[in-house]
Amino acid sequence: MPPVDNRPSPFNSTSQPPPDNGPIECLIICTKAHHTELAIKDISHRLTKDSTICLVHNGMGVLESINQNVFPDPNNRPHYIQTVFSHGLGRNDSFKISHLGVGTTILSPVGDPSIPPTTPEADHTWAPSTKYLLRLLTLTPPLVAVAETPAGLLQYQLEKLAVNCVINPLTALSDCTNGEILYSFSFTRVMRLLLFEISAVICALPELQGIPGIEDRFSPERLRRLVVNIASNTAKNHSSMQQDINQRRLTEIEYFNGWIVRRGEELGIKCALNYMIKHLVAAKAATHRSREAGAIPLDLDNVISTNEPPI
Ligand SMILES: NC(=O)C1=CN([C@@H]2O[C@H](COP(=O)(O)OP(=O)(O)OC[C@H]3O[C@@H](n4cnc5c(N)ncnc54)[C@H](OP(=O)(O)O)[C@@H]3O)[C@@H](O)[C@H]2O)C=CC1
Ligand SMILES: CC(C)(CO)C(=O)C(=O)O
């Protein structure tokens, strides 16, 4: 039986649950990257500088937009925990989720942005809600959760980003499974060229400077091996982007290749291939939209125009 956490909550506990408009102490947000800001904005009046938000999404750049657009005042911002989540989940129905593949949950509280992530943060600087949520998640066996330093988490996030920047758009554009991108010379060429740009941007990121071994960990060859391993281990799966395109949902491309392009621009590194891939995915989504809009039978030739006022 999993261990039961009998420790009292660090917060004022009452026998009544807090009202629906009361302050939220701990919040876990597991929406797509492009929905996260809006999901938080909707309940931002209930979040205080004592709250902790745990963000579970793929891609990069979400936290920065939440800070800029939802909590612009650094003195009144909630605390955050960021994650890299590698379990496989599938939705059967509303509120019915299947655990399809066991992975891990790597967690790290987000440090003060003025302190480089390479500086270890002392545990006592974490807010009570952050400590509580971190302890709760790491003591939940099915999550296989481990806590990392901000610098450690950032490196796992960037590895996952590199994987998502290759597998997701290639499978979405070619409408194939993750494994199918492994057995074609053409896919291999595209993969290598994308990874050259991705590696150059990651290795130049100011937030990674000073961490030993970055050039090796994020070399194009190491990233390629990472992509190939994950594509083989999930060979029969359809990537989330392939599913999003086919189900006519917004994709996370802006937070994958889009982020690489934007950070590359800041660093003076041109990422023409990632730019192209991002636009090919957007174009595929736009083609679906216009085809389906065109499929609505509107016979404009036979529309009779009258000067009569509308009834
Ligand atoms: N699924 C997986 O196996 C994995 C997913 N991830 C990442 O996790 C993130 C979430 O993925 P996934 O769970 O698959 O995504 P889904 O789209 O399946 O689920 C997202 C959920 O967010 C809800 N939502 C959307 N907008 C809002 C809002 N404004 N307020 C409240 N709730 C909202 C949706 O509600 P509704 O049902 O009403 O639409 C839905 O239940 C993504 O970044 C994904 O890449 C990472 C690793 C594995
Ligand atoms: C790792 C991968 C590519 C697995 O499908 C994924 O994270 C996704 O589909 O978004």
Side-chain angles (χ1 to χ4, degrees):
M1 222 178 60
V4 177
D5 187 1
N6 288 322
R7 283 160 307 145
S9 157
F11 313 108
N12 302 333
S13 59
T14 58
S15 51
Q16 292 298 314
D20 267 1
N21 57 1
I24 298 173
E25 287 147 356
C26 296
L27 174 70
I28 302 173
I29 289 274
C30 40
T31 56
K32 295 277 187 179
H34 44 263
H35 289 142
T36 301
E37 185 184 317
L38 184 63
I40 293 178
K41 205 174 209 161
D42 284 348
I43 46 171
S44 58
H45 57 287
R46 301 178 58 190
L47 294 159
T48 71
K49 62 184 171 49
D50 297 321
S51 313
T52 293
I53 306 176
C54 175
L55 297 168
V56 188
H57 60 77
N58 279 338
M60 301 291 288
V62 174
L63 182 59
E64 291 72 10
S65 2
I66 296 169
N67 277 342
Q68 195 179 318
N69 303 325
V70 188
F71 302 111
D73 176 3
N75 298 318
N76 274 314
R77 250 176 218 161
H79 304 272
Y80 302 102
I81 292 175
Q82 283 198 299
T83 57
V84 173
F85 186 83
S86 63
H87 293 272
L89 304 179
R91 192 203 310 218
N92 306 334
D93 206 343
S94 297
F95 301 104
K96 266 200 176 165
I97 309 288
S98 299
H99 193 179
L100 303 172
V102 177
T104 57
T105 310
I106 307 173
L107 308 155
S108 173
V110 174
D112 178 339
S114 63
I115 303 170
T118 39
T119 314
E121 245 204 312
D123 178 82
H124 65 263
T125 63
W126 296 342
S129 59
T130 309
K131 283 190 198 170
Y132 175 77
L133 192 53
L134 207 55
R135 217 179 284 139
L136 187 73
L137 296 174
T138 49
L139 287 174
T140 304
L143 289 175
V144 196
V146 286
E148 254 294 348
T149 59
L153 183 92
L154 176 61
Q155 293 171 73
Y156 286 116
Q157 282 180 303
L158 292 167
E159 284 179 348
K160 182 112 202 253
L161 176 77
V163 169
N164 288 134
C165 281
V166 175
I167 300 181
N168 293 45
L170 294 190
T171 52
L173 290 170
S174 303
D175 200 12
C176 65
T177 60
N178 293 355
E180 283 175 302
I181 64 166
L182 293 173
Y183 305 105
S184 141
F185 175 74
S186 302
F187 275 133
T188 308
R189 295 312 302 156
V190 176
M191 190 186 294
R192 276 186 190 274
L193 293 169
L194 282 173
L195 287 172
F196 272 123
E197 290 180 358
I198 294 165
S199 164
V201 171
I202 294 179
C203 291
L205 289 173
E207 52 270 44
L208 287 186
Q209 301 316 305
I211 301 179
I214 287 302
E215 300 270 329
D216 290 334
R217 181 163 177 173
F218 294 101
S219 70
E221 180 49 24
R222 168 139 198 291
L223 294 180
R224 190 193 65 81
R225 274 188 270 125
L226 216 56
V227 171
V228 168
N229 265 340
I230 295 191
S232 323
N233 291 341
T234 59
K236 296 235 160 7
N237 296 3
H238 292 276
S239 77
S240 55
M241 194 174 286
Q242 192 264 2
Q243 296 180 48
D244 288 341
I245 286 278
N246 283 338
Q247 290 165 31
R248 310 299 188 255
R249 294 188 300 238
L250 212 58
T251 73
E252 294 180 299
I253 194 78
E254 281 300 337
Y255 300 85
F256 298 167
N257 308 70
W259 187 84
I260 289 288
V261 172
R262 287 192 296 281
R263 294 306 306 266
E265 272 165 11
E266 282 168 28
L267 296 162
I269 302 170
K270 274 215 171 78
C271 295
L273 288 167
N274 279 275
Y275 185 76
M276 187 177 85
I277 282 282
K278 157 182 127 99
H279 279 288
L280 284 173
V281 170
K284 182 153 183 159
T287 309
H288 281 158
R289 274 197 303 275
S290 55
R291 237 184 240 155
E292 280 152 23
I296 299 170
L298 263 186
D299 185 359
L300 294 175
D301 289 344
N302 288 319
V303 172
I304 301 163
S305 108
T306 70
N307 290 328
E308 286 168 29
I311 301 168

